Amino acid sequence: MAADPRGVTMVRYRFGEPSLTVWQKIWHINWLFVLVLCATAGVGFGMLYSAASGSLDPWASRQMVRFAMGFAIMLVIALIDVRIWLRYAYLIYGFGMVLLIAVELSGTIGMGAQRWIDLGVVTVQPSEVMKIALVLALARYFHGASLDDVKSPVYLIIPLFLVAMPAALVLRQPDLGTALMLVLGSGAIFFAAGVRIWKFAVLIVLGLGSLPVGWQFLREYQKQRVLTFLNPENDPLGSGYHIIQSKIALGSGGVFGKGFMQGTQSHLSFLPEMQTDFIFTMLAEEMGMVGALGLMGLYTLILIYGIYFSVGCRNQFGRLIAIGVTMTFFLYVFINIAMVTGLIPVVGVPLPLISYGGTAMLTLMIGFGLLIGVHVHRDVMIGRRASGSDIV
Amino acid sequence: MHRDSDRHKLFNRRTAMLAGGQLMLLGALTGRLYYLQVVESDKYATLADENRINFRLLPPPRGRITDRNGLPIADNQQNYRLLLISENTLSVEGTLRALERIIPLGESEKRRIIRDVKRNKSFVPVTVRENLEWPEVSQIEVNTPDLPGVLIDVGESRDYPYGEEFAHVLGYVAAVSHDETTDDPLLDLPGFRIGKAGIEKVHDLALRGSGGNSQVEVNAFGRVIRELSRQEGLPGAEVQLTLDAGLQHFAATRIAGESATVVVMDVRNGEVLALTSSPSFDPNLFNQGLSTAEWNDLVNNPRSPLINKSIQGQYAPGSTFKMVVALAALERGVITPDTQFFCNGKMTLGDAEFHCWKKSGHGIMDCLNAITQSCDVYFYQVALRIGIERIAAMAKRMGLGEPLGIDLPGERGGLIPTPEWKKSAIGSSWQKGETVILGIGQGYILTTPLQLATMTARLANGGVVVKPHLTPQVVEPGSVEAQFTPQPAESIGLSPAHLTLVRKAMSQVVNDPYGTAFRARIIKEDEAMGGKTGTVQVRRISKAEREQGVRKNEDMEWEERDHALFVGYAPVDNPRFSVAVVVEHGGSGSSAAAPIARDVLQEVQRLDITMPTSSAIGASDASSENALDDNGGRPPGRNHG
């Protein structure tokens, strides 16, 4: 079985067993964390119920079905040995890249932003696949990196490419929000892996310096969004409308909100996209700052769990996956809330577990599955040189 | 192992930094929420309400205008409008086709409707037709099941039941023009009408009332979701005029076809009982909107139907001015009642000759006979002796030369010429001859018929200052507001003996066989009238013409004929009513104007006009009980009714 003998010797289990049984794994699942996830999703169902003016149709019921499916997938993934992910990390990444390129090619035929690809059975959004795949690939790469390796700039060339290729393709789609999440999420992994801080500083300076160049590559509507963000009152009925109405809804909600299903901005159609990207606004309008902070509290709890899982994991691969997933989740939360509160330009990022939509839900549930899996397999020791091929 | 634990330690450190960073960013979001939802909350709550709440103004019904007896002379009529809501139709075209079987729609009308439907949101009612007739309304109501999306809406439009007869007094209402908008939001309402002339204009604010409003919740597309609150406005106040609709109707009918005006006043308090001007116009047309052709007809008509001749027409008073000259001269002692002058048909002053209307002359004339027979030479002589200033001063005291302040827009003041006036207006000095012809009310002098009626009232009531007015009060729901406060009876300060003399002369004008208006006398003794004729030259008569013999008025072009004037009062021994009649280019005052005055004075006495309006003024300050006890508040004219 042992293709790499050194790897085999490095694998150890806390209780001395060769592996955990399924029941042991289920026992190791942090069910409190799962409860927090369900509670958060429950808030989402409630808001979708309100968005439909007190009806499960058309959003809440479908969202429940999706969550149930995602929940099952999450549990299955949580039970899969992390070493499997280690083994297939690059393969999954490669698969994601193929899909991205495929969508890029078909996208040139189609009109406008092409983000979806039809695999015959299901339609997938390759950029969503890539959010997970990139975390896996980078985790695997840095799992094999010693502290000295990480200090060498040359060593960072490959992972930078791993990030840059999908990010560039996603940006071309064009999907600024996802590209941003890919880059920032990866940055967290780089950072946690120990890449020197001054290198980030250099990168940020370079990034800021290339902003004018990057501006040229932005699509007209993306430029418009940025400009509108900088001064939404310039165009109150045009592109600034979303931000203005969202701020009005938020502000008018006050501390305690207007009451469940009583949001005037939401229910009288002043608020756009209230069941998807602007659902936080609706929550804050109806439940007030208390409700908004309550939801943010749930999110913080999820983040704390994520960091706790990552720090408590005994293998670097698992730690990096956990921090990558946690960071991605944080970016969802932050970008969405910052967007609807007018802190950053409008970028189409949904509010995790709350916004209506299947793709993001699936990505998140897979991510949470990995997170739980990392925790379940927290005591699996994986050697730096291991490739995971010694398992199964 | 040791390397991995180093790596782990670094990882933990870095993760702590990341967590710290995340916490800071979450803190920033919390701060942002605090800023929006607590600090700026009120501002955004207001903005949210502005988003969702629309104020709809509810136009108040315009106040009615009634005559002195409460008879409505301006009222509101229901106006049925046919509306179409496109989202309730199966197809707009289908509904229109079905509708065409009931009311025919023109091609352009249909195109307009379809265009309006496309321009508006599907729930916005589009007007198909306004001012529907009742049979059409009922037919549409019956066929409602076949007319999906059709709706009948009842609005109000102004209606003037007497049409032309009150047009100059009432004025009219029409759509608000751009420069008329004030801060009253009612004026911005589409279709809102305001008073543009006459009483409708003067009392527009009172008649208008104040708008109510309804707060409705609307969604982002403007659809009304529900009504949040409703506050009814105050309906416009009812304005009661001093006019008597019956008398007005009589007077208007009497001068129909002429270019003329009649003013009837109560001599004791200045209430205007009739005020007509002919030709007139139909104020209802203005409400609906005039066509260009109709407008041009009104504007270009040489008899100027849009001009209210009673207050805007300015005419030389002619011989009706002779009482003023006589009173001025008597007061200054320039003449006594016995002073005589000889009339041989003309008077010479320097090179100029001033002719009497009676070519052969009147012979020896005293004041009484000079007025009775309207001897011009007598008044030439008198005018020459007292001078222009004294005549002008007396004219002013009689109410001439300045607007009297009647509550109608556009009142003209006439003109009492003085040397100073001539100096500044024309630039040359006053000529004696001009004083001479002023003695018979000719020359620069101009008066309005309203001024002549007022002058006559002041003569007839014993020299009490009365001012003409139309609205003693505006009746608002719950309050009585006196718009006209009667002044304590103020005397002009004329000697009763002189007034008696002048009134005796005016009685003789009508009732003495030598009088110029004898043929127009009122036979019934207790209703008899006094008065004075006036015939005013519109053009100068040249010497050549005079030698050829005076051309008869009938031979001249209408525009060149004399204006016929008559001022009068009745009953002659206890005057209650004064009247002024001007018939433009009507010929002589005795034949064209006096008969009209006679008929109107007979009618006003027949109508038994009581004075509910003026007693209400007296009571407005005191409590109603006091008013009943106080005889002075009673209409003094009751005994004579």
Side-chain angles (χ1 to χ4, degrees):
Chain A
M1 203 73 223
D4 184 346
R6 272 178 303 177
V8 176
T9 57
M10 295 294 282
V11 175
R12 284 179 196 159
Y13 299 100
R14 183 187 258 182
F15 306 110
E17 296 98 334
S19 178
L20 295 170
T21 66
V22 170
W23 294 112
Q24 281 172 319
K25 286 183 178 183
I26 291 175
W27 176 249
H28 279 293
I29 287 177
N30 188 322
W31 290 103
L32 220 52
F33 175 68
V34 173
L35 193 69
V36 174
L37 292 183
C38 291
T40 313
V43 172
F45 303 150
M47 292 328 292
L48 290 175
Y49 179 79
S50 169
S53 300
S55 159
L56 288 175
D57 275 336
W59 297 311
S61 56
R62 287 195 223 168
Q63 186 81 343
M64 287 177 188
V65 172
R66 281 173 187 157
F67 180 72
M69 282 163 59
F71 193 80
I73 292 170
M74 175 183 80
L75 288 185
V76 169
I77 286 176
L79 300 179
I80 294 173
D81 196 301
V82 277
R83 284 166 294 184
I84 303 276
W85 300 116
L86 184 74
R87 184 199 291 169
Y88 295 115
Y90 290 144
L91 197 67
I92 293 170
Y93 177 85
F95 176 65
M97 278 305 290
V98 169
L99 288 182
L100 269 181
I101 291 165
V103 90
E104 168 70 19
L105 291 179
S106 63
T108 52
I109 305 161
M111 300 266 287
Q114 175 86 27
R115 296 176 183 177
W116 299 80
I117 192 157
D118 197 342
L119 288 185
V121 194
V122 281
T123 51
V124 221
Q125 209 173 338
S127 55
E128 290 294 324
V129 175
M130 194 42 91
K131 279 177 190 159
I132 301 295
L134 188 57
V135 168
L136 289 175
L138 289 175
R140 159 130 201 206
Y141 187 83
F142 284 112
H143 171 77
S146 70
L147 277 181
D148 295 329
D149 287 342
V150 173
K151 282 173 189 163
S152 140
V154 181
Y155 189 79
L156 296 179
I157 292 173
I158 291 173
L160 279 176
F161 263 101
L162 286 179
V163 178
M165 286 189 302
L169 284 170
V170 168
L171 200 57
R172 272 186 59 84
Q173 282 183 353
D175 186 349
L176 190 60
T178 306
L180 209 65
M181 286 180 66
L182 288 176
V183 172
L184 292 176
S186 308
I189 297 176
F190 275 68
F191 186 77
V195 175
R196 288 295 177 87
I197 292 178
W198 65 265
K199 291 194 177 113
F200 288 95
V202 168
L203 212 64
I204 288 168
V205 169
L206 282 178
L208 288 178
S210 65
L211 269 186
V213 184
W215 180 255
Q216 309 298 324
F217 287 99
L218 288 183
R219 297 290 169 96
E220 198 47 50
Y221 84 93
Q222 290 172 323
K223 288 183 186 174
Q224 200 53 51
R225 279 181 181 178
V226 176
L227 289 176
T228 303
F229 161 71
L230 293 175
N231 193 359
E233 276 76 14
N234 250 357
D235 187 11
L237 290 178
S239 4
Y241 182 81
H242 288 22
I243 297 175
I244 292 172
Q245 293 302 335
S246 178
K247 279 158 77 177
I248 291 174
L250 278 160
S252 62
V255 177
F256 297 106
K258 298 174 183 168
F260 187 57
M261 306 211 297
Q262 304 293 313
T264 58
Q265 286 283 104
S266 323
H267 290 289
L268 298 174
S269 313
F270 291 101
L271 190 66
E273 307 281 329
M274 58 169 166
Q275 79 280 13
T276 57
D277 289 357
F278 283 88
I279 197 161
F280 183 81
T281 305
M282 192 177 93
L283 176 112
E285 187 191 16
E286 298 192 346
M287 306 301 191
M289 194 165 117
V290 172
L293 290 183
L295 180 66
M296 281 171 67
L298 285 174
Y299 282 147
T300 309
L301 220 52
I302 294 173
L303 290 172
I304 289 170
Y305 268 114
I307 288 162
Y308 161 66
F309 292 165
S310 107
V311 172
C313 181
R314 299 182 67 183
N315 56 73
Q316 182 76 347
F317 181 63
R319 287 178 217 148
L320 290 172
I321 286 179
I323 204 69
V325 169
T326 306
M327 193 64 190
T328 303
F329 173 75
F330 171 78
L331 288 172
Y332 268 115
V333 172
F334 180 78
I335 292 178
N336 180 273
I337 298 180
M339 167 186 84
V340 301
T341 53
L343 280 177
I344 61 166
V346 174
V347 277
V349 170
L351 189 67
L353 294 172
I354 310 284
S355 284
Y356 178 76
T359 318
M361 174 74 88
L362 196 64
T363 311
L364 279 161
M365 296 312 276
I366 290 172
F368 289 135
L370 286 173
L371 202 58
I372 297 168
V374 166
H375 186 60
V376 168
H377 302 93
R378 59 186 175 275
D379 291 327
V380 174
M381 305 289 280
I382 311 172
R384 201 155 58 78
R385 306 256 170 243
S387 65
S389 51
D390 47 347
I391 308 293
V392 182
Chain B
M1 273 320 293
H2 139 86
R3 299 295 273 175
D4 192 56
S5 98
D6 277 356
R7 212 162 58 153
H8 198 171
K9 273 181 197 155
L10 179 65
F11 178 88
N12 286 352
R13 221 166 35 242
R14 289 292 176 89
T15 302
M17 287 164 78
L18 279 177
Q22 291 180 355
L23 212 61
M24 274 168 56
L25 288 174
L26 287 176
L29 291 183
T30 308
R32 179 66 171 171
L33 283 177
Y34 179 80
Y35 175 73
L36 289 175
Q37 300 197 279
V38 177
V39 179
E40 298 266 82
S41 177
D42 289 346
K43 172 184 141 192
Y44 286 116
T46 312
L47 285 174
D49 282 346
E50 278 174 14
N51 262 347
R52 80 183 169 103
I53 297 173
N54 264 10
F55 282 87
R56 311 239 153 156
L57 267 179
L58 306 171
R62 194 172 174 82
R64 297 194 312 172
I65 303 174
T66 68
D67 86 333
R68 65 190 298 115
N69 304 313
L71 218 61
I73 51 179
D75 209 340
N76 301 316
Q77 212 178 31
Q78 286 190 325
N79 168 19
Y80 294 95
R81 292 194 303 165
L82 183 59
L83 305 176
L84 182 77
I85 301 177
S86 62
E87 71 173 4
N88 295 349
T89 61
L90 300 174
S91 85
V92 174
E93 286 78 8
T95 298
L96 287 182
R97 236 176 288 123
L99 200 55
E100 266 187 300
R101 272 176 246 131
I102 299 165
I103 52 166
L105 297 165
E107 271 310 309
S108 65
E109 207 173 0
K110 268 195 285 184
R111 252 179 281 127
R112 196 234 348 129
I113 294 162
I114 289 170
R115 194 190 61 214
D116 285 357
V117 165
K118 280 183 186 147
R119 276 187 193 166
N120 288 295
K121 300 226 164 61
S122 62
F123 55 85
V124 175
V126 163
T127 306
V128 174
R129 176 78 60 85
E130 289 204 50
N131 300 311
L132 286 180
E133 300 291 331
W134 177 246
E136 294 174 323
V137 173
S138 48
Q139 244 186 313
I140 290 167
E141 295 282 6
V142 168
N143 289 295
T144 312
D146 304 328
L147 298 167
V150 162
L151 169 83
I152 289 188
D153 178 58
V154 189
E156 279 191 335
S157 64
R158 202 63 161 164
D159 179 50
Y160 303 100
Y162 289 84
E164 297 194 346
E165 288 172 12
F166 283 92
H168 290 111
V169 177
L170 295 178
Y172 52 89
V173 294
V176 185
S177 71
H178 186 69
D179 52 327
E180 285 167 329
T181 50
T182 61
D183 51 1
D184 187 343
L186 280 176
L187 299 189
D188 299 328
L189 272 181
F192 195 78
R193 303 279 201 271
I194 60 166
K196 296 279 188 166
I199 291 293
E200 294 274 30
K201 181 176 182 176
V202 170
H203 292 296
D204 188 56
L205 279 180
L207 288 165
R208 192 191 297 168
S210 59
N213 59 58
S214 136
Q215 277 189 7
V216 290
E217 187 173 76
V218 294
N219 70 7
F221 314 109
R223 178 198 289 272
V224 174
I225 307 296
R226 65 200 163 110
E227 187 171 66
L228 299 172
S229 71
R230 189 185 183 88
Q231 195 186 356
E232 297 293 346
L234 269 179
E238 184 170 304
V239 172
Q240 188 169 22
L241 301 185
T242 57
L243 294 178
D244 184 282
L247 184 66
Q248 179 87 359
H249 170 72
F250 179 87
T253 314
R254 183 64 182 80
I255 60 172
E258 300 277 5
S259 181
T261 169
V262 174
V263 178
V264 183
M265 265 173 73
D266 190 312
V267 302
R268 294 158 307 180
N269 51 28
E271 287 184 356
V272 176
L273 303 174
L275 189 140
T276 68
S277 178
S278 168
S280 185
F281 59 90
D282 184 357
N284 291 308
L285 292 178
F286 283 83
N287 190 17
Q288 292 153 19
L290 284 173
S291 71
T292 318
E294 287 169 320
W295 174 250
N296 285 341
D297 277 356
L298 285 175
V299 171
N300 297 331
N301 187 329
R303 303 193 177 195
S304 32
L306 290 178
I307 301 288
N308 183 356
K309 297 185 175 72
S310 57
I311 61 165
Q312 293 171 317
Q314 301 188 104
Y315 311 90
S319 298
T320 62
F321 192 61
K322 283 174 179 163
M323 287 83 80
V324 176
V325 179
L327 283 169
L330 286 165
E331 188 173 66
R332 295 302 298 177
V334 171
I335 56 166
T336 66
D338 303 326
T339 306
Q340 292 178 339
F341 292 105
F342 183 76
C343 169
N344 63 357
K346 65 184 177 189
M347 188 190 86
T348 315
L349 183 74
D351 297 343
E353 277 187 348
F354 297 90
H355 295 267
C356 188
W357 65 270
K358 194 172 177 184
K359 221 178 165 186
S360 56
H362 288 93
I364 293 172
M365 284 277 119
D366 61 8
C367 186
L368 187 65
N369 284 313
I371 294 175
T372 306
Q373 299 181 33
S374 202
C375 172
D376 290 340
V377 167
Y378 181 91
F379 283 96
Y380 294 150
Q381 296 286 1
V382 172
L384 208 53
R385 277 163 180 76
I386 54 168
I388 171 67
E389 276 87 0
R390 310 240 180 273
I391 300 174
M394 180 57 72
K396 291 257 160 77
R397 279 159 78 186
M398 300 308 292
L400 307 179
E402 270 168 19
L404 290 161
I406 189 169
D407 32 7
L408 282 178
E411 188 198 355
R412 306 286 294 270
L415 173 70
I416 301 299
T418 57
E420 297 80 53
W421 166 82
K422 197 188 172 195
K423 197 95 194 154
S424 65
I426 298 177
S428 54
S429 54
W430 189 260
Q431 303 295 310
K432 265 204 164 147
E434 288 163 347
T435 308
V436 172
I437 59 166
L438 188 70
I440 59 161
Q442 298 265 20
Y444 297 116
I445 185 171
L446 289 173
T447 57
T448 66
L450 183 73
Q451 287 171 336
L452 294 179
T454 306
M455 170 191 83
T456 310
R458 290 178 184 186
L459 290 172
N461 67 15
V464 176
V465 175
V466 286
K467 289 200 167 188
H469 56 273
L470 280 164
T471 42
Q473 62 181 11
V474 177
V475 183
E476 280 185 87
S479 77
V480 177
E481 180 195 342
Q483 293 277 315
F484 177 84
T485 351
Q487 306 294 316
E490 187 192 325
S491 172
I492 307 176
L494 288 172
S495 141
H498 297 159
L499 272 174
T500 309
L501 174 71
V502 167
R503 276 216 299 273
K504 185 177 179 192
M506 289 176 79
S507 172
Q508 286 192 15
V509 167
V510 185
N511 300 310
D512 188 285
Y514 286 104
T516 50
F518 181 65
R519 269 179 299 177
R521 71 190 178 281
I522 294 173
I523 309 291
K524 206 170 161 190
E525 213 166 87
D526 59 343
E527 289 183 5
M529 71 170 179
K532 182 72 191 79
T533 55
T535 306
V536 180
Q537 284 172 22
V538 176
R539 57 189 278 281
R540 223 182 164 76
I541 298 169
S542 67
K543 197 163 186 183
E545 278 177 321
R546 199 177 294 278
E547 278 159 10
Q548 280 169 11
V550 178
R551 282 163 66 194
K552 286 223 166 82
N553 258 304
E554 292 74 38
D555 300 337
M556 291 191 282
E557 290 296 317
W558 180 77
E559 297 81 29
E560 296 184 342
R561 294 180 199 163
D562 297 339
H563 288 329
L565 277 72
F566 188 86
V567 298
Y569 60 90
V572 72
D573 46 2
N574 186 6
R576 277 193 58 194
F577 308 105
S578 75
V579 65
V581 176
V582 174
V583 182
E584 286 187 343
H585 311 293
S588 83
S590 54
S591 62
I596 296 174
R598 171 200 61 206
D599 294 347
V600 169
L601 281 177
Q602 266 184 322
E603 179 68 9
V604 68
Q605 293 179 85
R606 189 187 69 78
L607 280 172
D608 181 26
I609 286 171
T610 55
M611 292 187 290
T613 50
S614 51
S615 66
I617 300 171
S620 67
D621 288 326
S623 78
S624 52
E625 273 182 13
N626 285 347
L628 285 175
D629 294 341
D630 179 11
N631 235 352
R634 287 266 173 97
R638 280 273 161 80
N639 310 332
H640 308 283

